[in-house]
């Protein structure tokens, strides 16, 4: 198979907070030939940065909790525990977004920062990609409710011992993409990054 595809038609069907295109397309098949013409809709122009804020001195993580429409009707309480993050506007770099969002959402100033990975969020319906980082912070004064009023943000800071946060994986409150990947990364890299960042 040559992995060829053809976009036959693109129709911008919605332009609001989200942007949605409808595509008519064909693609190569594993057993030869081409697929029938398919109709697929896709969320467009989504790119974000997400940051696990970590204090290597106290061995604590600074997370945030906020209301999420995607959890309504699916979770008993639609307030989601997350890493800090936000969309990346055109012309702004990932590290700049990470530092800005850490201040806006958690009132934390970032020290050293380390790239974890970049991943597709839901490639069946979206171009959404997240660049994920771990960043050094001082968790000793992290607290309060933050966010931008004009964006309707109401974000509560949650400081947890690293072990307690890791215990929330899979069966607890850490059940969205960025926080799962970030905490898994912390399990693997915690000792090494504490050693580097404590000096």
């Amino acid at each position: 198979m040559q992995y060829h595809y053809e976009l036959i038609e693109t129709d911008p069907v919605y332009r609001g907070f989200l942007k949605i295109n409808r595509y008519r397309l064909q693609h190569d098949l594993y057993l030869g030939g081409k697929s029938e013409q398919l109709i697929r809709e896709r969320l467009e122009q989504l790119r974000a940065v997400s940051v696990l804020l970590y204090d290597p001195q106290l061995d604590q993580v600074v997370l945030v909790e906020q209301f999420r429409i995607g959890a309504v009707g699916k979770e008993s309480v639609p307030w989601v525990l997350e890493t800090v993050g936000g969309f990346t506007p055109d012309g702004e770099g990932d590290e700049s977004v990470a530092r800005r969002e850490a201040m806006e959402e958690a009132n934390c100033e970032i020290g050293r920062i380390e790239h974890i990975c970049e991943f597709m969020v839901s490639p069946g319906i979206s171009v959404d990609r997240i660049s994920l980082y771990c960043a050094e912070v001082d968790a000793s004064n992290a607290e309060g409710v933050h966010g931008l009023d004009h964006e309707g943000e109401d974000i509560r800071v949650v400081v947890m011992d690293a072990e307690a946060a890791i215990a929330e994986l899979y069966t607890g409150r850490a059940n969205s993409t960025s926080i799962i990947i970030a905490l898994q990364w912390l399990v693997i890299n915690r000792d090494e990054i504490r050693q580097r960042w404590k000096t």
Side-chain angles (χ1 to χ4, degrees):
M1 190 175 80
Q2 298 299 309
Y3 292 96
H4 291 155
Y5 65 91
E6 179 186 5
L7 297 179
I8 299 164
E9 183 180 33
T10 302
D11 181 17
V13 294
Y14 182 76
R15 291 294 183 263
F17 178 75
L18 297 174
K19 295 173 178 57
I20 302 173
N21 286 348
R22 180 178 294 126
Y23 296 94
R24 189 157 55 92
L25 59 92
Q26 287 183 294
H27 62 75
D28 285 357
L29 297 173
Y30 288 115
L31 297 179
K34 293 193 174 297
S35 68
E36 298 294 322
Q37 288 192 12
L38 305 171
I39 304 293
R40 296 289 183 265
E41 292 171 352
R42 187 176 80 174
L43 293 168
E44 304 290 343
Q45 298 178 15
L46 293 175
R47 177 169 168 71
V49 169
S50 191
V51 192
L52 176 66
L53 304 179
Y54 179 62
D55 185 329
Q57 311 299 326
L58 298 177
D59 195 27
Q60 291 181 326
V61 295
V62 179
L63 303 170
V64 292
E65 182 183 70
Q66 60 186 312
F67 176 86
R68 290 301 200 188
I69 189 64
V72 171
K74 300 298 181 184
E75 301 288 333
S76 58
V77 177
W79 276 258
V80 179
L81 187 66
E82 299 175 314
T83 50
V84 161
F87 289 119
T88 306
D90 289 340
E92 186 172 7
D94 287 352
E95 188 171 323
S96 172
V97 173
R99 293 181 184 281
R100 176 172 52 78
E101 292 291 340
M103 287 300 298
E104 288 177 8
E105 296 188 357
N107 198 34
C108 283
E109 186 174 333
I110 286 177
R112 288 168 281 197
I113 187 167
E114 183 145 335
H115 186 246
I116 295 175
C117 67
E118 182 173 298
F119 62 91
M120 294 181 284
V121 177
S122 185
I125 61 167
S126 174
V127 298
D128 197 2
R129 299 179 76 88
I130 292 179
S131 288
L132 185 60
Y133 292 83
C134 181
E136 176 189 32
V137 296
D138 177 358
S140 61
N141 295 312
E143 60 181 358
V145 175
H146 305 283
L148 300 178
D149 290 341
H150 70 273
E151 291 185 7
E153 293 180 330
D154 183 51
I155 301 169
R156 183 173 73 93
V157 173
V158 179
V159 179
M160 301 177 74
D161 290 338
E163 285 295 333
I166 291 164
E168 293 287 341
L169 279 168
Y170 313 122
T171 59
R173 297 170 60 212
N175 61 355
S176 61
T177 51
S178 290
I179 193 171
I180 288 174
I181 296 169
L183 290 177
Q184 288 174 330
W185 180 89
L186 189 63
V187 169
I188 297 168
N189 295 280
R190 185 167 150 215
D191 290 342
E192 188 267 337
I193 204 156
R194 284 191 81 194
Q195 186 68 30
R196 275 197 289 124
W197 284 1
K198 284 177 77 171
T199 57

